[in-house]
Amino acid sequence: MGAHLVRRYVTETDTEPDPTKKYEFDPQFGFEEREAREMVATQDQMNLAMLPLEQRDYCAQHLLKLMKCKRDTFPNLLACKHERHDWDYCEHQDYVMRMKEYERERRLQLRKKRIASQPEAA
Amino acid sequence: MAGVGFRRWAQALSRGKGSGLSALLPGCRAASGGSKADLPSSYPLTPEAKAAAAKKYNMRVEDYKPYPNQGEGYGDYPKLPDKSQQERDPWYQWDHPDLRRNWGEPMHWNFDMFTRNRVDTSPSSMSWSSMCKTMFGFIGFMMFMFYVGEQFPSYQPVAPKQYPYNNLYLENGGDPEKAPEEVVNYKI
């Protein structure tokens, strides 16, 4: 918690990824084959449901199912636990993927620095 | 009896000097009311006028000080120190305890402002300079810290969120005729 801030501002200022800048490494670098993320909900479906833009992500299909369940089971506010869990779990996995992307970028930066400093040492 | 009064009235009317309605009204008042000498009048120019004004306002001659004669309309009204009623002794038995004033005491020109519900000139325990230093020191410190926060922002160690359909190109108002920049998001 906050170790990345110490790294970014104090100890490893040149290699720690800057969240405002675009990541510079090729997404396929280091992978044999990378699977693309699949979007299930269509643009028309999201438009009809009038989802706010922040919620039109790769978990939108679970959110649409949840909204339908809530509308169908009102006034029972405790009803849609399964759908809510599915959406929450999808969002959680999305966040974990974001953390992994950040870590990948950080390690590639360190590797780049390591390789750059090797010919000087050798 | 009424006839006598009516005759007297008619005689006074014929002798009278006024015109219009003032000629019809009797030129006398009850002796119980204040006289014209009790009302505030013009700026006192001689020491005798000063002494008379001081007596009129129930003040000592050495305490009495009129406002400077600059045509502002104060006349001979005394210039009293600008102290609010809140500063007066709360334990003394005033005639009017809520106003902290005795009967007959000369009233400040802005007495209605200096009542205890309104402006208060009581001295504060902190000096003006130390109050200023405290306030501007705090504001300056907060501005400095917010500036530092802008230069070194705090964030979570995560990559930016990925959105489908070329970063929601159409939803963000992109031109449907133009081809958007292709964005492919991968699993990790």
Side-chain angles (χ1 to χ4, degrees), chain B:
Chain B
M1 286 293 286
V4 169
F6 181 73
R7 200 144 62 93
R8 289 251 175 88
W9 177 68
Q11 280 167 353
L13 198 62
S14 54
R15 275 198 302 270
K17 297 187 286 267
S19 61
L21 188 63
S22 56
L24 293 170
L25 294 169
C28 61
R29 255 166 260 159
S32 56
S35 65
K36 217 161 172 195
D38 291 337
L39 295 172
S41 58
S42 54
Y43 186 82
L45 295 161
T46 64
E48 294 84 26
K50 276 205 163 75
K55 186 165 182 342
K56 180 172 72 176
Y57 290 115
N58 295 332
M59 293 174 84
R60 298 192 311 172
V61 180
E62 36 289 9
D63 292 336
Y64 173 76
K65 194 167 70 70
Y67 280 92
N69 190 17
Q70 287 167 345
E72 289 163 327
Y74 288 107
D76 65 354
Y77 202 85
K79 185 170 169 42
L80 296 160
D82 287 340
K83 295 271 179 69
S84 71
Q85 300 303 93
Q86 185 65 22
E87 283 196 51
R88 295 193 174 194
D89 185 3
W91 295 106
Y92 174 77
Q93 300 291 325
W94 301 97
D95 291 341
H96 300 289
D98 49 336
L99 298 173
R100 291 188 184 168
R101 178 181 172 269
N102 286 321
W103 186 86
E105 195 184 319
M107 289 176 109
H108 193 284
W109 183 266
N110 291 319
F111 178 79
D112 55 344
M113 183 174 81
F114 285 128
T115 57
R116 287 166 63 211
N117 279 329
R118 294 182 179 177
V119 172
D120 182 9
T121 58
S122 305
S124 59
S125 52
M126 227 173 160
S127 68
W128 180 256
S129 66
S130 98
M131 278 197 278
C132 278
K133 273 190 265 185
T134 309
M135 187 171 103
F136 291 119
F138 176 73
I139 291 176
F141 173 71
M142 291 310 290
M143 283 174 68
F144 172 72
M145 290 308 285
F146 276 116
Y147 173 74
V148 166
E150 290 294 312
Q151 300 308 112
F152 301 108
S154 168
Y155 56 94
Q156 293 295 344
V158 284
K161 195 168 159 82
Q162 292 170 336
Y163 286 98
Y165 302 118
N166 304 320
N167 271 343
L168 299 175
Y169 174 77
L170 292 171
E171 284 83 346
N172 280 325
D175 190 358
E177 308 294 319
K178 292 204 198 101
E181 182 190 319
E182 288 295 325
V183 174
V184 184
N185 294 317
Y186 296 100
K187 280 198 196 145
I188 184 165

Side-chain angles (χ1 to χ4, degrees), chain A residues 4-5 8-9 17 19 23 27-28 34-37 39 41-43 46 53-54 56-58 91 94-95 97-102, chain B residues 149-173 181 183-188:
Chain A
H4 63 288
L5 295 172
R8 165 103 188 275
Y9 297 131
Y23 288 179
Q28 301 286 358
R34 225 172 146 180
E35 214 182 304
R37 284 179 91 167
M39 184 60 192
T42 64
Q43 286 176 299
M46 293 199 289
L53 290 182
E54 303 82 42
R56 296 191 191 205
D57 55 3
Y58 287 96
E91 289 283 353
D94 179 74
Y95 197 78
M97 278 197 251
R98 286 172 73 185
M99 292 200 283
K100 288 183 189 171
E101 291 280 358
Y102 180 90
Chain B
E150 290 294 312
Q151 300 308 112
F152 301 108
S154 168
Y155 56 94
Q156 293 295 344
V158 284
K161 195 168 159 82
Q162 292 170 336
Y163 286 98
Y165 302 118
N166 304 320
N167 271 343
L168 299 175
Y169 174 77
L170 292 171
E171 284 83 346
N172 280 325
E181 182 190 319
V183 174
V184 184
N185 294 317
Y186 296 100
K187 280 198 196 145
I188 184 165

Side-chain angles (χ1 to χ4, degrees), chain A residues 2-17 102 113, chain B residues 148 151-153 155:
Chain A
H4 63 288
L5 295 172
V6 172
R7 279 199 301 262
R8 165 103 188 275
Y9 297 131
V10 181
T11 51
E12 290 149 24
T13 52
D14 45 356
T15 52
E16 194 68 15
Y102 180 90
K113 187 174 173 202
Chain B
V148 166
Q151 300 308 112
F152 301 108
Y155 56 94

